[in-house]
């Protein structure tokens, strides 16, 4: 599976997948201008990854702010991971947040609470 990079000048959310380590990192200070358009290639990539590769996937999320539509897109992404996990795939989800970012901690808890996928919310060191 090839490396993946989804970053646009106007978007402040970036996604990078390192095929060598199996780590997908999603990081940003805000939400994409058009979340549906932004997440479309990520959904397609994830579905192909799940269908063709049988190796562990580590997903690291560090986002400072999500709006309603980008939260929905991220939840759809997490649900694809959840189905893969339920089918016997290996997935680790790490959601990083800063000490003063209670909103993101709550958002992470809300988006993950109904998933069977194991996840951890991790406080970033100062």
């Amino acid at each position: 599976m090839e490396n993946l990079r989804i970053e646009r000048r106007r978007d402040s959310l970036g996604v990078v997948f390192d095929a060598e380590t199996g780590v997908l990192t999603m990081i940003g200070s805000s939400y994409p201008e058009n979340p549906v358009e932004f997440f479309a290639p990520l959904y397609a990539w994830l579905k192909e990854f799940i269908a063709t590769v049988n190796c562990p996937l580590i997903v690291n999320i560090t986002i400072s702010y999500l709006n309603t539509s980008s939260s929905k897109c991220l939840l759809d992404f997490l649900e694809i991971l959840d189905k893969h996990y339920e089918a016997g795939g290996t997935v680790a989800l790490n959601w990083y947040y800063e000490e003063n970012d209670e909103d993101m901690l709550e958002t992470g808890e809300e988006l993950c609470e109904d998933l069977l996928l194991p996840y951890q919310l991790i406080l970033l060191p100062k």
Side-chain angles (χ1 to χ4, degrees):
M1 192 82 194
E2 294 180 13
N3 288 349
L4 169 77
R5 180 175 296 274
I6 303 172
E7 291 177 306
R8 298 189 191 131
R9 199 176 303 164
R10 296 181 71 186
D11 295 328
S12 55
L13 177 63
V15 178
V16 178
F17 174 71
D18 184 335
E20 201 170 298
T21 61
V23 176
L24 184 140
T25 302
M26 190 178 304
I27 189 165
S29 60
S30 187
Y31 55 89
E33 197 170 284
N34 182 340
V36 175
E37 181 184 304
F38 181 90
F39 275 84
L42 182 58
Y43 297 152
W45 173 86
L46 183 58
K47 288 176 181 175
E48 181 184 341
F49 176 88
I50 287 170
T52 60
V53 180
N54 189 16
C55 67
L57 175 62
I58 300 167
V59 179
N60 295 321
I61 300 175
T62 308
I63 304 169
S64 300
Y65 179 73
L66 292 169
N67 68 359
T68 303
S69 57
S70 54
S71 290
K72 172 71 172 95
C73 288
L74 183 54
L75 180 58
D76 290 346
F77 169 76
L78 294 176
E79 286 176 345
I80 296 169
L81 290 174
D82 200 44
K83 287 179 183 164
H84 177 57
Y85 175 77
E86 285 182 69
T90 306
V91 182
L93 174 61
N94 303 308
W95 192 305
Y96 295 90
Y97 67 98
E98 295 178 3
E99 189 171 16
N100 60 352
D101 201 349
E102 290 296 317
D103 287 343
M104 270 324 290
L105 175 59
E106 288 178 21
T107 299
E109 289 173 337
E110 279 180 28
L111 291 178
C112 294
E113 68 184 351
D114 292 331
L115 302 176
L116 296 176
L117 173 71
Y119 68 92
Q120 51 183 344
L121 298 163
I122 302 169
L123 178 63
L124 286 169
K126 288 185 179 182

